Amino acid sequence: MTLSGNFETGEEVRMLRRDFLVKTGQLAGTSFCAVEGLSGMAMSHSNSMAKTSAGTIQTVTGAITPEDAGITLPHEHIMSLFGAEITAKPAYNEEQLYKAVLPYLHKLKELGCGTIADCTTAYFGRAPQILKNISEETGLNILTNTGYYAAANDKYVPSHAYKESAEQLAMRWTKEWEDGIEGTGIRPGFIKIGVDSGPLSEIDRKIVRAAALTHRETGLTTASHTGDNLDSVKEQLQILKEEGVHPNAWIWVHANNVKEPEDLLFAAEQGAWVELDGVRSENAEQHLKLVTLLKKNGYVKQVLLSHDGNSFRYGDRPAKAYDWLFEGFIPLLKSAGFSESQIELLTVHNPARALSIMER
Ligand SMILES: [Zn+2]
């Protein structure tokens, strides 16, 4: 792979392609067609795997079409070891794990869930083979991820990330995309990163840049744990811009934590995805307020909804549910005047577009 490549030519192609995508509504609309015809030209500098995957969604059991994703939860943790020490090889008690998780996921499937993006990153519990077993058992589509989580004061950043360049980290993540993760043959469906609050630290900036470079090679979207930090949003979008990546390839994770709701409009205006991912009964009013604000300003097509739940947590931490969208929030959206098609956009089409593999 060539991360540096012929940048000028690549940049020109990206600009052309972006113009085309904007004109045809690919970046902001709900249609998926016309991507195939472009992929050969626009991804000419990228690897062949990305070309053949353009427009699909990569799950732990293989690629699916966006139309097959169904209702999608873009930010959950089926299991994690968050809170434990950093580890490259998560040691789960699998018997306990399946016993806790499978009945819950069977119920989610019955509620109408089609796809779950698992946001547990490497070094705090990512375990692709377990996700694959669960997917095969439940019939749910599950995505795993590549990337590093540099929030939580960098607790889960491996030591090599400090020594290596953004290009080297991107090569590691791109290799996971090309060859599969840790010998399992299971490929990531998106890039998951995290940054701490305040101005971005050096390691945060490097990880954001590595994500942008990985996107250019793979077409995978980046979901970035950011929270209430507009300055950090601006810095991240600037890094994307420097690397020739459109904000539409970036998800503002935990955007629901903003104290100034108007901040969401800034990111939406740039074209970024705004993820309200703490949906639960206790904060229903706040979520409804934010999604209504985005709707009023014409950005309902860029909103993602999820719970940031966790069905198997470290130690004796209680599970965090991720079914309330179905039983609570969708009915609430209906009673607040959201149309069927707007609800379908929020729960089906938006996450399918956000997670579709496409260089942007
Ligand atoms: Zn999370």
Side-chain angles (χ1 to χ4, degrees):
M1 63 181 246
T2 51
L3 278 174
S4 48
N6 187 342
F7 183 77
E8 276 184 27
T9 309
E11 177 62 15
E12 280 170 24
V13 170
R14 271 192 292 282
M15 294 298 287
L16 278 171
R17 182 160 189 260
R18 195 163 301 145
D19 285 351
F20 184 92
L21 293 174
V22 169
K23 277 185 203 135
T24 56
Q26 290 292 315
L27 281 179
T30 56
S31 161
F32 297 101
C33 59
V35 175
E36 282 304 314
L38 281 163
S39 60
M41 175 186 76
M43 296 181 120
S44 58
H45 70 293
S46 299
N47 66 76
S48 57
M49 293 301 255
K51 271 187 222 168
T52 54
S53 302
T56 66
I57 293 173
Q58 182 68 39
T59 79
V60 291
T61 59
I64 61 169
T65 67
E67 291 80 0
D68 288 335
I71 296 180
T72 297
L73 298 175
H75 189 122
E76 309 298 343
H77 302 266
I78 289 175
M79 71 276 183
S80 92
L81 295 175
F82 196 83
E85 289 308 304
I86 181 169
T87 175
K89 292 197 188 322
Y92 287 106
N93 180 328
E94 288 194 40
E95 200 185 318
Q96 274 182 19
L97 191 157
Y98 293 128
K99 208 171 143 190
V101 165
L102 287 175
Y104 191 68
L105 291 183
H106 281 303
K107 182 191 159 198
L108 261 184
K109 175 92 176 154
E110 275 170 32
L111 285 170
C113 182
T115 301
I116 299 172
D118 187 86
C119 287
T120 296
T121 56
Y123 299 99
F124 72 83
R126 183 184 64 165
Q129 187 58 54
I130 292 178
L131 294 179
K132 188 179 178 192
N133 297 344
I134 291 171
S135 173
E136 286 169 349
E137 173 67 25
T138 59
L140 284 162
N141 301 309
I142 299 174
L143 282 70
T144 188
N145 63 82
T146 190
Y148 296 158
Y149 182 87
N153 296 318
D154 308 327
K155 181 176 180 179
Y156 297 109
V157 177
S159 55
H160 65 248
Y162 293 95
K163 297 175 205 132
E164 295 181 4
S165 65
E167 286 76 7
Q168 286 170 309
L169 296 180
M171 282 176 81
R172 284 179 182 267
W173 302 348
T174 301
K175 195 170 173 354
E176 290 200 325
W177 162 254
E178 288 175 343
D179 301 341
I181 298 165
E182 294 155 357
T184 60
I186 298 167
R187 302 167 76 192
F190 62 109
I191 304 158
K192 170 75 193 299
I193 59 171
V195 297
D196 281 313
S197 56
L200 294 183
S201 66
E202 195 183 332
I203 189 70
D204 287 349
R205 280 198 302 275
K206 193 195 286 186
I207 277 168
V208 173
R209 194 172 301 281
L213 294 171
T214 305
H215 170 78
R216 278 173 38 197
E217 288 300 309
T218 63
L220 295 175
T221 298
T222 296
S224 179
H225 168 113
T226 300
D228 177 28
N229 191 350
L230 187 64
D231 287 342
S232 152
V233 168
K234 288 177 179 172
E235 265 191 271
Q236 291 184 71
L237 293 179
Q238 177 59 31
I239 293 170
L240 261 61
K241 193 176 173 191
E242 286 163 17
E243 300 301 339
V245 175
H246 193 276
N248 191 249
W250 183 87
I251 301 170
W252 179 358
V253 171
H254 308 323
N256 48 291
N257 290 335
V258 289
K259 289 184 194 70
E260 300 297 334
E262 304 291 324
D263 287 355
L264 302 180
L265 301 180
F266 168 83
E269 194 185 353
Q270 309 301 304
W273 294 97
V274 176
E275 188 179 273
L276 310 175
D277 52 35
V279 173
R280 45 185 57 89
S281 57
E282 309 89 88
N283 57 22
E285 230 169 88
Q286 167 74 354
H287 274 72
L288 188 61
K289 191 174 109 185
L290 297 178
V291 72
T292 303
L293 173 74
L294 287 154
K295 183 180 101 165
K296 273 187 186 149
N297 287 275
Y299 296 121
V300 77
K301 63 186 182 295
Q302 284 164 249
V303 179
L304 300 172
L305 299 174
S306 216
H307 307 80
D308 195 15
N310 193 331
S311 40
F312 194 75
R313 298 172 76 196
Y314 173 63
D316 51 10
R317 297 167 189 218
K320 280 161 73 182
Y322 43 100
D323 55 1
W324 196 72
L325 180 84
F326 300 90
E327 296 181 306
F329 202 59
I330 289 176
L332 195 63
L333 287 170
K334 282 182 189 161
S335 61
F338 280 74
S339 68
E340 288 290 339
S341 65
Q342 284 169 331
I343 291 169
E344 201 173 301
L345 204 55
L346 290 165
T347 58
V348 178
H349 300 302
N350 286 356
R353 278 197 344 278
L355 295 168
S356 286
I357 296 161
M358 182 177 25
E359 197 188 3
R360 283 160 277 193

